[in-house]
Amino acid sequence: MPATLGSISHSPADKRWSKDGAPIAAAARNGVVASRAALASARPQTGGASGWRYSTQLNEQLTSAQCALDYVEDMLSQLQGFKDSLSQQLTQRRLDTEGLNAQRDALGQAWQRRRNDSAGSLDSQLRLSLGAPARQRFVARGLDLDSLTSGAPETLVFSVGGGAPAAVRVGEGIRRDEALRGLNQALGPAGVRCELDDYGRLGFSCSERDWDSLQGALTVRGGGVRFPGGVPQPLALEAEAPAIDASRWRTDDHAQVRLALQDVLRAIARLQQTHSAIDGAIAEARQSISQLSRTDEQSWASGFVSDFNARLNQTADFNHLQQLVPALLGISRYRVLALLSLR
């Protein structure tokens, strides 16, 4: 099952729990060769096939995390070099625009390889997704919870790529959780997930590999209130802006170079947050594999629950808070509503 963590929006590095309860927290990293050696000896000595299946999942997550780490380190190296070049050019009367553009274009090409080089584990916001492909988040123009839960009642009929249509009743009298559940039930079969951000705003996501084909294929037919009736209309979809967009960096004059430098510094900070999150994922996966090699899966899960409760109930201390808060970042009432709507 997926475990995700990384930076979300523009907040500090974010850590969450996988659906099977696997914790992601810690900070350490070794090389790929060493990890493979550890994984080779990870078969549990007790507990049978159940524990081995779980350690195999951890193996896959660890491999994905290490691919993501290699990619992040390469991007950090290139960005640091570009930052140094930009800083140096600001001290010179004449800019080496050609040289700066070459570095910028190389960074843009590296960003385009993000999905392949990170084994699909890093999304466009540098969030780490372990055990499941990274997802593309987007908004659909005309679909927001305020309009879907107020005004005249209407039935919206959704279809993806000419597939079976699915109807959702919206309008006054429909609760927010009902609207959210209806959208998930209608769009879920097509791989589209309806979500709420930390501010309660409605958004959607799909697997990154499905994003290109989804655009123009997701249609809606209304009753003339929020959307026209008759022929289904394509929904206007807008992707979440990527964390790094090298095409925005201009180097024609000193003012543009200064703006590009500020953007590069923000990108470096974001990558450093993701690097720390990946370090934590790798360390925790190794710790879990080590535990599974000595005990069965059920005992490990019970031990984890006891350990988490013990940390949570300790007296106030910043070190304890520092361990728990990253794991709880992003768990707002809106995210809970979104998860419940998937049931």
Side-chain angles (χ1 to χ4, degrees), residues 1-5 16-24 54 57-58 60-61 64 120-121 128-135 137 193 339 342:
M1 300 299 291
T4 61
L5 77 163
R16 305 184 191 173
W17 306 105
S18 65
K19 291 181 181 178
D20 55 12
I24 302 293
Y54 186 63
Q57 291 174 352
L58 287 171
E60 295 170 352
Q61 292 181 6
S64 296
S121 58
L128 181 65
S129 179
L130 299 180
R135 299 184 67 82
R137 287 165 172 79
R193 185 185 303 160
L339 289 173
L342 296 173

Side-chain angles (χ1 to χ4, degrees), residues 124-208:
S124 63
Q125 288 295 310
L126 293 172
R127 290 172 288 230
L128 181 65
S129 179
L130 299 180
R135 299 184 67 82
Q136 173 66 58
R137 287 165 172 79
F138 60 94
V139 294
R141 190 176 304 164
L143 290 180
D144 64 84
L145 281 184
D146 288 338
S147 67
L148 295 178
T149 56
S150 62
E154 183 180 24
T155 298
L156 304 181
V157 181
F158 295 93
S159 179
V160 179
V168 179
R169 188 69 175 169
V170 300
E172 189 173 359
I174 303 297
R175 300 194 311 270
R176 293 166 67 91
D177 61 326
E178 291 175 334
L180 194 62
R181 186 178 299 109
L183 288 170
N184 270 312
Q185 291 173 349
L187 301 176
V192 178
R193 185 185 303 160
C194 180
E195 303 168 323
L196 297 177
D197 66 14
D198 291 337
Y199 302 97
R201 295 172 301 200
L202 181 63
F204 303 85
S205 72
C206 66
S207 172
E208 278 197 340

